[in-house]
Amino acid sequence: MQRDKFFKEIENLNHPNEKLIKTHCSYCGMQCGMNLRVNTQTNKIIGVEPRYDWPVTVGKMCPKGVTAYQQTNHKDRLLKPLIRDDASLKGTTEGFREASWDEAYDLIVKKFKELQSKYGKDSLSVFSGVSMTNEKCYLTGKFARVALGTRYIDYNGRFCMSSAAGGFLRSFGVDRGSTLPWTDIHETDCLFIAGSNTAECHPTSMFRIWNVQERGGYIIVVDPRETPIARRADLHLDLQPGTDLALANGIVNQLIELGYLDDEFINKHTNGFEETRELVKEFTPEYTSMLTGVAPEKIVRAAELYGKAPNAIVMFARGVEQQHKGVDNVSAYTNMALITGKIGRPKSGVATFTGQGNGQGGREHGQKSDLLPGYRKITNPEHVKEVCQVWNITPDEMPKPGVSAYEMFELMEEKTIRGLYLLCSNPAVSAPNQNFVRKALKNLDFMICSDFYLSESAEFADVILPAVTWSEDEGTVTNIEGRIIKINKAQEPVGESKPDWQIQVQLAERLGRGKQFSHLKTARDVADEFRLASKGGYADYYGATWDKIEKQDGVFWPCKDENDKGTPHMFLDKKFYHPDGKAKICALPYRPPAEEPCEKYPLRLTTGRVVYHYLSGNQTRRIPFLHDMCPEPYVEVHPETAAKYYMEHEERVRLYTRRGEAVYKVKITEAIRKDTVFVPYHFGHEDSINLLTIAALDPISRMPEFKACAAQLEKVEIKKVQ
Ligand SMILES: Nc1nc2c(c(=O)[nH]1)N[C@H]1C(S)=C(S)[C@@H](COP(=O)(O)OP(=O)(O)OC[C@H]3O[C@@H](n4cnc5c(=O)[nH]c(N)nc54)[C@H](O)[C@@H]3O)O[C@H]1N2
Ligand SMILES: Nc1nc2c(c(=O)[nH]1)N[C@H]1C(S)=C(S)[C@@H](COP(=O)(O)OP(=O)(O)OC[C@H]3O[C@@H](n4cnc5c(=O)[nH]c(N)nc54)[C@H](O)[C@@H]3O)O[C@H]1N2
Ligand code: SF4
Ligand SMILES: [Mo]
């Protein structure tokens, strides 16, 4: 094969003092294939090259990916545990001193035991993230339930993918972010993409997406902003933030009106069509236009383009999901595929753009307050029994379900939760309603934070534990497609830093749970236990051995045993995961955003990302190139709106909501609705847009409404500090 030949040539060009470690990027769900370049004299990572032999991204990487390697030996790395003796300095970077691991562990165990004996097991909590491997995510769930014995564990996926998960579970009975492999995308005839700034957030998908147009197919984009992908789309539906449910119902109305139904598919493989048909009757193009701000002709045209395409894929991302009706939005857009039968076959289906590197795997194996490995339920006694056997505990030792991520902060604020083990997340930037969240963190009696840089959240900790970056450990992650892939170790841990799974094993031993943890001596040991724990669950990874992953360029779950090659396409047999084997078409009444504009707050505020930064920015703000390209946040304002407020480009203005305020540079752009302003959220302290966002939670997914609230702008005069 041509690509093998090419790759061999590249290998031959290698410098004798260099080796290449095959792996994937540390950041988003695309998990682009990369080789880390390692100097064999110093054994240090010195660079990166894209992997042309990786079938999903074929040699493509974005600005974050090509600079990701600069994280490993960065000057800001935490090299030793840090302890802060003076609690009055909480919320600052001050007052930390270096300590040995033993001293740190002793202090943590003493404090955890004190709190639990005084206030009960559930006085401790774990808040984690999904930039970690499956093995680490799995062990974090086990650590919370077995080593700490607390019900309170949840993770940053509640702010990310939980609405997609909730919507897929309701529509299909199973939650795999994509029903088909990414290598199908460029071969479809129509892409309907809602609430995804794909060109900035999943840039290495773009070559496949543009290819649809080049082959004569169509791209429809739904976004309040004219993003790069919206600019070149065949149709841009520029809706008001928070109105997707009305738009989806309106498009379904037109798919029915214009006769694009697949009656056979609906009859044989779905439930709920008649209720849905009834419900969407009122969502005529005119009524939908009134609710969403999208022109009626565009709504009809979207239904035509999607309906007549032989194959089509409905795709969405956080623009749709981060609303207090995110789950309904997901199911409502999924209805498009179910009523037209464009699912359960190659080149047609539904996919969400998975956010974090392991956004998929990290939600399947027990970091969520109600879930156990393999997507088992903590409320199901059979499931609990199965997991207890692997964990070597009795079912009565299994804690009850806890609460969602934001609700944990509420319990911290009222002191029901007194201790926190934070790892792999930076909620002092990324959680909504920051004034409240920071108060909750300050209110804790004892907090530990594991990170490789001192994050804004670590500033609230009593003990900081130095973790390793993705390049200093091995394990698996599950990419945007549901494909389990292998992350390889390129360098020994910097300083005294340790992988999170090792920290948890050592802490568990000191907490008297050696019997359940001491046998885990390597990441591979954790992997073997983790595969077993997922066995028989519907997210079954048992057959996804590291050898198979290597041999097959990854393994799509479910993969039940050695002979199972995995499942790239879901539902090819038209069997959905609900007990009756049918998918659910959902009748979903419209409700507006939790906070609508009013006289005092007349603008709609929405938030999101830029290509140069990643999430809370704790990693990317430290990379010189990325910082230079985007050194500070800004507020995007339409020229007519700016003129109304007498604001000029780059002038500093105050943006405020009912919850907080911040000062930003104005970026005047026609690529946004006149009634909407947008701020990227990658910045901390007084620059965080989450000082302003609303914690209105989705009733099912408990996702906060990051994408819509009411705001106002005001001119300010910044006085120079003397
Ligand atoms: N560069 C970069 N890439 C990333 C990340 C990153 O931080 N930086 N993070 C990764 C992660 S964890 C995630 S979750 C993904 C996120 O990927 P995306 O969801 O694509 O990113 P966002 O910028 O949050 O939002 C997407 C779009 O939603 C639009 N939007 C806002 N409100 C609404 C609405 O009410 N309806 C609709 N339909 N659209 C709306 C915004 O204008 C924005 O263009 O990206 C991943 N990739
Ligand atoms: N306003 C607004 N807010 C949002 C969003 C939005 O669109 N708008 N999007 C939300 C979304 S989709 C997401 S995903 C969240 C993400 O928000 P966060 O959970 O805060 O995500 P990160 O910034 O990745 O935080 C991860 C932290 O852990 C560290 N880290 C990385 N890998 C590891 C590891 O393996 N081990 C340990 N111990 N530490 C590690 C990093 O240095 C970083 O400090 O933000 C949410 N917040
Ligand atoms: S697209 Fe995502 S995975 Fe690929 S290089 Fe960029 S950040 Fe990394
Ligand atoms: Mo995310």
Side-chain angles (χ1 to χ4, degrees), residues 156-157 159-161 318 322 354-356 609 614-615 681:
N156 67 5
F159 302 155
C160 182
M161 306 285 304
R318 301 312 85 75
Q322 288 171 332
T354 287
Q356 297 168 83
R609 296 158 164 78
Y614 190 64
L615 305 180
Y681 88 99

Side-chain angles (χ1 to χ4, degrees), residues 131-132 136 156 159-160 318 322 356 423-427 430 450-453 455 467-468 500 607-609 614-619 681 689-690 693 706-707:
S131 283
M132 300 191 292
K136 287 175 184 146
N156 67 5
F159 302 155
C160 182
R318 301 312 85 75
Q322 288 171 332
Q356 297 168 83
L423 70 159
C424 198
S425 182
N426 189 9
S430 56
S450 159
D451 203 308
F452 39 81
Y453 301 132
S455 68
V468 299
D500 296 289
T607 64
R609 296 158 164 78
Y614 190 64
L615 305 180
S616 72
N618 188 39
Q619 290 161 269
Y681 88 99
I689 188 60
N690 278 324
T693 51
F706 288 120
K707 288 295 188 264

